[in-house]
Amino acid sequence: MTVKVVYCGICSFPPEYCEFGGAFKRCKEWLEKKEPELFQKLYSVEALEKATSSLSIEKQEEIERKIQKDQKKNEARAERELANKLSSKIYVKRIERNKRKHVIAISGLELCGIDMKKLAKVFASKFATGASVTKTADGKDEIVIQGDVGDEVETYIVDMLEEKGLDDVKVEQVAEKPKKKKPQV
Amino acid sequence: MPNAMFKKFSREEVHSRSNIKSSVQRGLKAKLIEQFPGLESVIEEAMPKKSQMVQIKCSDKVTLYSINSEVLFFQSFDDPLVPTIKFVHKYPEAFPRVKVDRGAIKFVLSGANIMCPGLTSPGASLPESPGLDVGAVVSIYAENKEHALAVGVLTMSTEDIKSINKNCGVEVCHYLGDGLWNFSE
Ligand SMILES: [Zn+2]
């Protein structure tokens, strides 16, 4: 009774919508390997001929041109973004405020498409502490959490990246000591 | 039902999960059948008596209903229940449908509402008279495609869409590639 729909292993759409999924080339390669019958059904010459739209030829060509242009743009962008993401690094910085007080500042999240305000909220409730998004000197956002929770934060972020398929993004803990006071005379 | 309500949806929006009592589950099923008479013949298969339904409460008064970690329906406040696209893919016959022309696909997939001309042009189609009333929940298909690409709510009756043929006709609330599509428990 149920219909079983195949989903693309690259863009997750039903393969007939891969052309709108932003990774068309990779999607087609995947489909040809994994679902050759469906590949034939969608991309054989006859299939492509049959799929012509009911709109007027000019209108149709215009739409196809636009779709192809978007495809190229999206693919280039997706590749750029992926490369950017994978080469980025997230820093979990432990800053010593005084002998017993530490805060954790997380930077480098912006490339991974993470909503920092929401993540700060998650941390605030998870660790029952204060957490907020602040601007750094170079104009980037970072999450600052009150308390010495660097390890927990690192674990959480690593899990989150894994879930997003961004395992290659590195997470690094660094420590920042307060500047030494001038020795008293 | 807010437009593109899952555009930015992610796991961080989930506030609580709770098992639904079997009596409540029965009531929910009755409500679904009332809303989608086409579901009646498959509802026991789709939501077996023994299965445990889970209610997932999210930000902005959005509630998801899942079985076996798969979200089947959602709801905003006390608005009508709306099936997820994956559920529509499984039981396509159970839900009323509209079809957009090829030119409208990329707009739907960016979360835009559907303008009447995208539903009345030669590649599109609407149910025959008397059609569907304003407020009806519909599955959204596309020219030359087999499977649904979105679900939405009519902002005009289908007869009005045909005769007036301007402004917004369907509010798209969930589409391929949005946060709910990518959400996994
Ligand atoms: Zn694909």
Side-chain angles (χ1 to χ4, degrees):
Chain A
M1 190 67 207
T2 51
V3 177
K4 225 171 155 26
V5 178
V6 171
Y7 295 113
C8 173
I10 304 295
C11 74
S12 82
F13 291 2
E16 56 179 355
Y17 289 106
C18 282
E19 53 176 327
F20 299 97
F24 197 27
K25 236 174 74 192
R26 280 167 60 220
C27 290
K28 271 165 95 175
E29 285 164 10
W30 178 88
L31 192 69
E32 190 167 18
K33 212 162 81 193
K34 301 276 176 171
E35 302 278 342
E37 268 174 46
L38 187 51
F39 181 84
Q40 279 304 316
K41 192 177 156 204
L42 289 177
Y43 303 119
S44 68
V45 179
E46 307 90 79
L48 291 176
E49 266 169 16
K50 223 169 44 194
T52 45
S53 163
S54 49
L55 298 171
S56 75
I57 302 287
E58 298 83 61
K59 182 87 184 153
Q60 205 178 301
E61 280 175 351
E62 188 195 321
I63 289 172
E64 293 308 322
R65 251 200 319 277
K66 272 193 194 146
I67 290 174
Q68 276 170 18
K69 206 172 130 196
D70 283 356
Q71 267 168 15
K72 282 212 187 101
K73 220 167 63 189
N74 284 338
E75 260 167 47
R77 198 186 55 203
E79 265 168 39
R80 226 169 31 238
E81 276 175 4
L82 191 66
N84 256 340
K85 270 182 195 168
L86 297 183
S87 65
S88 68
K89 205 170 197 182
I90 293 171
Y91 290 100
V92 177
K93 190 159 64 178
R94 180 174 187 259
I95 304 166
E96 195 176 313
R97 284 277 187 254
N98 61 41
K99 270 282 163 269
R100 266 165 318 222
K101 256 191 159 173
H102 295 85
V103 298
I104 301 293
I106 313 159
S107 56
L109 289 166
E110 63 278 354
L111 280 171
C112 302
I114 290 159
D115 186 328
M116 292 211 223
K117 276 212 176 115
K118 271 187 196 137
L119 188 58
K121 262 193 190 163
V122 170
F123 284 140
S125 67
K126 199 171 162 64
F127 305 128
T129 182
S132 59
V133 178
T134 55
K135 280 241 184 297
T136 60
D138 52 356
K140 287 186 176 151
D141 282 339
E142 63 176 17
I143 297 178
V144 177
I145 309 171
Q146 308 298 318
D148 197 359
V149 289
D151 292 338
E152 292 88 336
V153 165
E154 186 186 353
T155 311
Y156 186 91
I157 293 177
V158 168
D159 287 350
M160 185 175 68
L161 291 171
E162 204 178 296
E163 197 175 305
K164 288 179 188 269
L166 296 171
D167 320 42
D168 288 351
V169 177
K170 306 263 183 313
V171 182
E172 189 179 308
Q173 285 204 52
V174 289
E176 186 184 279
K177 292 263 178 205
K179 289 188 187 84
K180 282 226 175 80
K181 282 184 196 131
K182 276 185 196 151
Q184 293 198 333
V185 183
Chain B
M1 197 68 65
N3 161 247
M5 55 198 279
F6 297 107
K7 198 161 195 162
K8 296 226 154 108
F9 185 78
S10 71
R11 254 171 32 133
E12 278 104 65
E13 313 260 347
V14 171
H15 295 318
S16 70
R17 287 182 176 77
S18 53
N19 288 344
I20 294 181
K21 276 195 238 157
S22 61
S23 58
V24 179
Q25 194 165 326
R26 272 199 303 279
L28 205 60
K29 276 193 205 172
K31 204 169 151 195
L32 279 169
I33 293 171
E34 191 190 319
Q35 230 187 295
F36 307 105
L39 257 185
E40 190 163 12
S41 58
V42 294
I43 199 140
E44 276 316 311
E45 185 192 322
M47 308 158 112
K49 274 198 190 73
K50 281 173 288 179
S51 60
Q52 178 60 60
M53 197 186 267
V54 178
Q55 183 181 45
I56 306 169
K57 289 197 171 158
C58 310
S59 309
D60 304 322
K61 298 278 176 214
V62 172
T63 309
L64 315 178
Y65 298 95
S66 77
I67 289 180
N68 296 331
S69 303
E70 191 171 343
V71 181
L72 306 182
F73 289 89
F74 60 88
Q75 187 173 33
S76 163
F77 291 91
D78 287 326
D79 290 353
L81 292 153
V82 182
T84 59
I85 301 170
K86 286 205 174 107
F87 193 71
V88 172
H89 284 166
K90 269 192 190 148
Y91 299 101
E93 303 303 329
F95 305 100
R97 53 173 82 190
V98 300
K99 185 157 92 177
V100 300
D101 62 39
R102 183 164 167 78
I105 297 177
K106 72 168 196 182
F107 297 105
V108 174
L109 294 182
S110 68
N113 289 330
I114 305 171
M115 297 294 153
C116 290
L119 294 157
T120 56
S121 74
S125 82
L126 289 167
E128 277 169 30
S129 169
L132 302 165
D133 280 332
V134 52
V137 173
V138 291
S139 50
I140 301 164
Y141 290 75
E143 181 178 8
N144 288 322
K145 305 285 184 204
E146 184 183 351
H147 305 294
L149 79 159
V151 289
V153 177
L154 293 182
T155 51
M156 286 161 77
S157 73
T158 50
E159 288 306 292
D160 279 350
I161 293 176
K162 290 177 202 170
S163 60
I164 298 170
N165 201 22
K166 61 176 178 199
N167 302 329
C168 166
V170 179
E171 195 167 70
V172 171
C173 30
H174 164 42
Y175 53 93
L176 290 180
D178 71 2
L180 180 58
W181 173 261
N182 293 317
F183 174 78
S184 62
E185 279 267 78

